[in-house]
Amino acid sequence: MSEVAYIDAIREAQRELLADDPRVFIYGQDVGDFGGAFKATQGLKAAFPGRVIDSPIAEDAMAGVAIGAALEGMHPIVEMQFADFSSIAFNQMVNHAATYYWRTGTPIPMTLRLPSGGTPGSGPFHSQMMESLYAHYPGLVVVAPATVGDAYHMLKESVALEDPVIYCEHKLLYRWLKADNFENDSLPLTKARITRPGKHATVVTYSAMVHEAVKAAERLSEEGWEIEVVDLRCIKPMDTDTIMASIARTGRLLALGESFPWGGVTAEVVSRVASDGFHLLDAPPMRLNAKDTPIPYHPDLWRAHRPTPESIGEALRKLLNF
Amino acid sequence: MAIAADYQESACRAARAMVTARVLEDKLRSLYKAGKIVGGVYLGRGQEALSGVLGTQLIPGKDVFAPLIRDQAGRTGFGEDLLDVTRTYLGSVEGPMRGRDGNIHRGRPDKGMPAMISHLGAAVPVVAGILLAKRLKGELDGVVGATCIGDGGASTGAFHEALNVAAVEKLPLVVVIANNQYAYSTPNQAEFSGNLADRAAGYGMRGWEAKGNDLADCLEKVGGAVAAARRGEGPQLVVADLLRLSGHGEHDDGAYVCEDLKKGPLGRDCMDIAKEQLLSSGFIEEGTWENWEQEAREKVTEAVALTQREPTPDAHGEVWNACKAVGAETY
């Protein structure tokens, strides 16, 4: 296989899901002949006529339709054009899809794909990370793949799962992140991965920030620090065991995310480590997130809004020198 | 108004569902006032003709019915077991919701009756999705999906999005708006402008206007809408005017309801109208209606008595896991 990108993994996983499972169909804006805003469904309508369906601009109804189809035994994939617009589908996901199995015993096996995160010039409404919001609600599984192999395998596992899954795919990785093939290490869907082993401090992160953390770790290695990077992969449920084992090795935690700073995934990580692993810590646990403003349009502002290898490195030096 | 002889069977089926619903809901009201039901009790008093006709025009085991809060008659007409009602209201673990959810949020999705959430309009796309899935599976032929909403719920974005989707996909969806004149306490003039029925044209759907407290008219209009959807004529919107003959829930005395409306034609009880229509059409004899009521009372009493002997949930034994496939009690 020649080189493949993160977006190819998402497209190929969907192609195989459609080919292998008659319960799967895709519903979303412009996903048909047009192939989706990011071309994640390019060619799929032609290959699977009638099973790749263009929806009106109606995010609430798109999620609602998927819930109904799931009740009927289907395993629909809904593509939100941008994660930001899933705020309109939020009610259906958190109050309807998420509560259904608990209330009735009938599962809702649907997958909501969220093209997430910032890219230069995308601005306040095409750059958001929504994983913390969905993860707050019981009844949803929330995943955020950071690698090509994970994008492929975790999408296939998500669609097969009998629970509603929020699949957060990072737009910055779509074309930039490449691999030789779609293989991964066969970690189960809900397990975190040690992306880079280390012994002086742990960065717990996910999605595109995994790559920023690795860049920061590489720079710090030149100063003699060995930084461990944990890729959560699955936000909810969160693999606390892998986090704790890493903190036991390093004694220091930086929880890193691209979301807004109030609450969220990084706060959850710090809270778990502080309450269950206080005795393991050699320094106060730290958090680094995006800034508490809407996501800026101008690339110079955008780059300063989210954590960068520089700001991550700076945070790590503080943590290491405590 | 006499009802055409062709309608005898369907009129009587609807009427029996109406009678059972009214008797059952009178009992629920008593249980609530006696403190036996916690949370809310929401009655369909005054809406039984509209709802009962819809439920009995649908085919259990084939069609889909997503009822809303005032659809006991429709639920009963569609085949809901009385025990599902009493067990859910009284929190029995034997009920479909096992104490995890209550009152009108119950459903039997495996029997074509999705369980509603409180957010109005949310059920409309779900029914559309069930129908879309049936089409994908090649099982849509002759199937109808129906759901109900009120004059208030018709103001939501979810309602609008779903009607548009159903129209675009030409799904056999029947949406019945019971305009009971008040969204909780808010009268029509503060809820919407113009005529609700005109919206059908806006969606490219066929619209029907019914007298919601008139069994004969509901048979014609709601029955017509269901039949049209079944014939493959796409989504249908029925708007029925009526008056809610109770508060929003039993905690509410409905003091805000205008006296003129109560005294006017909308304020007439659909039960009285239906009984007169069945008698004048020669469909039932003197005493038949009362016999139905007596039978319903016996069944309701039996269901309540059985339910009250059943266990309520054990919080210590509960499985606190909202997901099916992902490990128990992990988050």
Side-chain angles (χ1 to χ4, degrees):
Chain A
M1 192 183 285
S2 59
E3 202 172 55
V4 288
Y6 186 91
I7 189 80
D8 301 325
I10 293 166
R11 188 189 312 109
E12 188 57 24
Q14 292 184 110
R15 180 192 302 282
E16 291 173 20
L17 283 160
L18 285 163
D20 297 343
D21 189 344
R23 301 173 303 175
V24 174
F25 71 98
I26 298 175
Y27 193 48
Q29 294 156 23
D30 306 298
V31 297
D33 292 330
F34 186 67
F38 296 100
K39 304 300 167 198
T41 58
Q42 192 160 45
L44 299 186
K45 185 182 171 189
F48 304 96
R51 292 172 64 201
V52 182
I53 304 168
D54 283 316
S55 73
I57 301 176
E59 288 83 3
D60 180 289
M62 289 156 63
V65 161
I67 292 167
L71 283 176
E72 195 58 27
M74 305 296 276
H75 284 229
I77 302 169
V78 173
E79 178 181 301
M80 287 285 132
Q81 199 148 73
F82 286 83
D84 316 49
F85 304 155
S86 78
S87 56
I88 309 298
F90 197 64
N91 179 53
Q92 290 287 5
M93 294 313 300
V94 306
N95 286 312
H96 219 161
T99 65
Y100 222 94
Y101 176 69
W102 168 259
R103 294 164 61 233
T104 68
T106 303
I108 305 292
M110 65 171 288
T111 300
L112 189 71
R113 284 184 39 231
L114 300 187
S116 307
T119 50
S122 295
F125 312 114
H126 294 76
S127 304
Q128 292 170 26
M129 302 287 287
M130 304 288 281
E131 65 285 341
S132 294
L133 294 168
Y134 289 102
H136 181 69
Y137 283 83
L140 298 173
V141 174
V142 183
V143 301
T147 71
V148 172
D150 278 354
Y152 171 85
H153 288 280
M154 291 175 76
L155 183 51
K156 293 189 89 170
E157 289 172 89
S158 297
V159 174
L161 207 69
E162 287 289 318
D163 290 307
V165 181
I166 310 295
Y167 179 94
C168 306
E169 52 196 62
H170 203 294
K171 301 196 298 292
L172 197 63
L173 305 181
Y174 274 161
R175 287 175 174 78
W176 167 78
L177 187 67
K178 295 195 168 115
D180 292 337
N181 53 53
F182 299 133
E183 284 170 21
N184 75 353
D185 48 12
S186 306
L187 272 183
L189 184 69
T190 58
K191 288 297 287 181
R193 176 188 294 121
I194 311 291
T195 296
R196 179 192 167 95
K199 60 183 181 186
H200 296 125
T202 298
V203 181
V204 176
T205 188
Y206 57 98
S207 192
M209 279 295 143
V210 170
H211 305 284
E212 309 297 336
V214 167
K215 280 182 209 159
E218 282 165 1
R219 291 180 196 179
L220 278 157
S221 73
E222 293 160 15
E223 300 164 26
W225 299 111
E226 292 177 40
I227 306 299
E228 182 146 305
V229 177
V230 175
D231 174 5
L232 286 174
R233 300 173 74 247
C234 186
I235 303 300
K236 174 113 181 239
M238 188 181 280
D239 179 5
T240 313
D241 290 350
T242 297
I243 298 171
M244 289 302 171
S246 178
I247 302 305
R249 282 190 290 277
T250 66
R252 285 177 161 80
L253 167 68
L254 172 65
L256 170 68
E258 193 181 327
S259 278
F260 301 126
W262 203 100
V265 177
T266 58
E268 183 67 29
V269 170
V270 166
S271 141
R272 289 182 189 209
V273 169
S275 56
D276 298 347
F278 192 74
H279 59 291
L280 303 172
L281 289 168
D282 298 325
M286 284 183 75
R287 293 170 68 212
L288 184 61
N289 295 285
K291 293 189 192 302
D292 189 34
T293 67
I295 299 154
Y297 152 72
H298 195 279
D300 291 347
L301 292 178
W302 172 74
R303 271 189 285 275
H305 183 268
R306 72 200 285 268
T308 57
E310 292 74 28
S311 65
I312 298 165
E314 197 180 321
L316 281 169
R317 281 187 200 95
K318 269 188 209 160
L319 182 66
L320 290 160
N321 289 317
F322 177 81
Chain B
M1 178 177 134
I3 307 175
D6 292 352
Y7 285 115
Q8 176 162 4
E9 196 269 330
S10 53
C12 289
R13 266 193 300 137
R16 292 212 66 169
M18 294 169 63
V19 168
T20 302
R22 177 64 65 90
V23 168
L24 170 63
E25 291 198 331
D26 283 348
K27 184 67 179 176
L28 294 174
R29 169 182 272 178
S30 302
L31 288 165
Y32 175 79
K33 303 276 184 207
K36 304 286 187 193
I37 293 174
V38 292
V41 169
Y42 304 92
L43 304 184
R45 203 176 177 84
Q47 269 176 233
E48 291 94 336
L50 177 67
S51 183
V53 166
L54 179 62
T56 50
Q57 289 291 314
L58 300 171
I59 304 168
K62 178 174 184 172
D63 291 337
V64 177
F65 178 45
L68 208 69
I69 69 170
R70 307 197 193 284
D71 284 310
Q72 186 54 55
R75 289 170 179 268
T76 300
F78 193 60
E80 184 182 55
D81 194 328
L82 285 177
L83 283 168
D84 276 9
V85 188
T86 55
R87 284 168 167 164
T88 304
Y89 266 108
L90 291 163
S92 162
V93 290
E94 303 295 331
M97 314 309 277
R98 301 157 291 162
R100 290 178 172 186
D101 204 345
N103 49 63
I104 36 65
H105 297 118
R106 66 187 184 275
R108 289 276 184 187
D110 57 331
K111 293 186 174 168
M113 189 186 284
M116 63 168 279
I117 65 169
S118 302
H119 303 67
L120 298 172
V124 188
V126 170
V127 181
I130 293 173
L131 297 171
L132 189 75
K134 285 183 185 290
R135 176 185 286 162
L136 287 166
K137 294 196 289 183
E139 298 170 3
L140 189 62
D141 199 32
V143 170
V144 173
T147 189
C148 303
I149 200 154
D151 41 295
S155 300
T156 63
F159 170 84
H160 161 71
E161 287 192 16
L163 261 65
N164 183 54
V165 161
V168 166
E169 290 295 334
K170 300 180 175 58
L171 295 168
L173 175 71
V174 177
V175 177
V176 176
I177 302 178
N179 179 5
N180 68 18
Q181 313 301 313
Y182 290 88
Y184 204 151
S185 75
T186 303
N188 276 183
Q189 62 267 26
E191 193 66 44
F192 60 88
S193 179
N195 183 355
L196 284 176
D198 291 344
R199 295 191 191 180
Y203 294 115
M205 296 168 62
R206 182 166 174 192
W208 305 73
E209 287 183 85
K211 295 175 192 160
N213 59 352
D214 183 315
L215 176 64
D217 201 52
C218 288
L219 281 165
E220 188 184 329
K221 309 291 173 47
V222 177
V226 171
R230 205 179 294 290
R231 285 194 302 269
E233 293 174 19
Q236 313 285 318
L237 181 67
V238 181
V239 179
D241 277 335
L242 44 77
L243 190 65
R244 190 180 73 210
L245 303 182
S246 62
H248 167 60
E250 286 308 285
H251 56 278
D252 168 32
D253 65 5
Y256 43 81
V257 176
C258 166
E259 283 303 318
D260 289 346
L261 279 174
K262 289 184 193 171
K263 289 178 194 146
L266 289 184
R268 277 204 71 199
D269 191 336
C270 63
M271 306 301 283
D272 297 337
I273 296 174
K275 185 178 163 186
E276 278 172 27
Q277 288 176 338
L278 293 191
L279 282 166
S280 68
S281 307
F283 294 170
I284 60 170
E285 297 169 358
E286 287 293 340
T288 303
W289 187 275
E290 289 72 19
N291 287 341
W292 289 349
E293 288 178 329
Q294 183 55 30
E295 273 179 47
R297 272 193 290 273
E298 286 165 14
K299 286 180 184 162
V300 167
T301 304
E302 199 181 317
V304 170
L306 175 63
T307 303
Q308 286 183 319
R309 292 196 296 273
E310 290 174 347
T312 49
D314 168 19
H316 297 294
E318 179 64 76
V319 180
W320 297 100
N321 182 19
C323 285
K324 181 181 183 191
V326 170
E329 299 184 31
T330 61
Y331 62 93

